[in-house]
Amino acid sequence: MIIKKASELLLKKSKSGYFEVFGLYRPAALNEKIIKNILKGGDAAAKFSSFITDLQYVNAYSARQKIVQKDDGTTFGVYTITESVPTIIPYTPCVEYENTAAAENTRIAHWLIGLVVIDGDENDPASCHVYKYIEHSTFVKKLPGRNIR
């Protein structure tokens, strides 16, 4: 009952429709659908624990967010995806806790995905090159299974 009330309160106060919890390796966003599944029958605490644990041990790289300010003062956020590397990116980007100082008092004008190709030894950083940048929203719209929410 306490978990149900707490989740209802958190969602009610959330402007985005979800709230974030921080795990050992990566954060997890919980929306109403996920919370309802956790609360539906059985031990909610055990189901929550299992949900978070499973997310922490996904065999994929969690893309690191970079906040960059151009010479003209425009600020943008970037996630990088390298070919052949399973990578996790957020469905809806926002400034991550580690970057709050870098983005303080500024508006993020664009969220981008940097697509990196490897043209040689995958262990040699000199073999990795940015192929192109694409708007995050455009990239996410083209993902298979994007209607998972």
Side-chain angles (χ1 to χ4, degrees):
M1 188 61 146
I2 291 173
I3 294 172
K4 183 177 181 183
K5 287 290 184 193
S7 61
E8 287 172 357
L9 181 62
L10 286 168
L11 282 173
K12 191 178 201 180
K13 292 187 176 258
S14 168
K15 294 175 184 163
S16 62
Y18 65 89
F19 62 93
E20 197 170 36
V21 294
F22 295 92
L24 184 60
Y25 298 111
R26 59 185 56 95
L30 300 163
N31 64 16
E32 186 174 4
K33 181 179 177 182
I34 293 168
I35 292 168
K36 282 181 178 178
N37 282 337
I38 290 171
L39 295 175
K40 186 171 44 178
D43 183 353
K47 287 169 78 175
F48 174 80
S49 177
S50 177
F51 176 81
I52 297 299
T53 300
D54 290 348
L55 286 177
Q56 297 309 299
Y57 296 99
V58 171
N59 190 19
Y61 173 74
S62 289
R64 303 267 188 249
Q65 180 184 83
K66 302 274 192 235
I67 303 295
V68 181
Q69 189 169 44
K70 292 171 44 176
D71 291 337
D72 67 4
T74 305
T75 303
F76 59 96
V78 179
Y79 294 94
T80 303
I81 296 177
T82 303
E83 73 173 309
S84 75
V85 177
T87 305
I88 299 168
I89 61 167
Y91 188 82
T92 305
C94 63
V95 177
E96 295 172 359
Y97 177 77
E98 297 84 14
N99 291 316
T100 53
E104 192 172 38
N105 301 321
T106 189
R107 184 180 83 73
I108 306 296
H110 300 280
W111 288 99
L112 303 172
I113 301 289
L115 301 175
V116 175
V117 296
I118 303 169
D119 64 359
D121 179 3
E122 66 182 28
N123 297 313
D124 180 5
S127 296
C128 300
H129 307 282
V130 175
Y131 167 67
K132 75 186 306 188
Y133 289 95
I134 184 170
E135 286 287 337
H136 181 282
S137 60
T138 302
F139 182 83
V140 169
K141 285 177 189 170
K142 295 180 183 223
L143 290 173
R146 71 185 190 292
N147 295 320
I148 57 175
R149 294 212 226 191

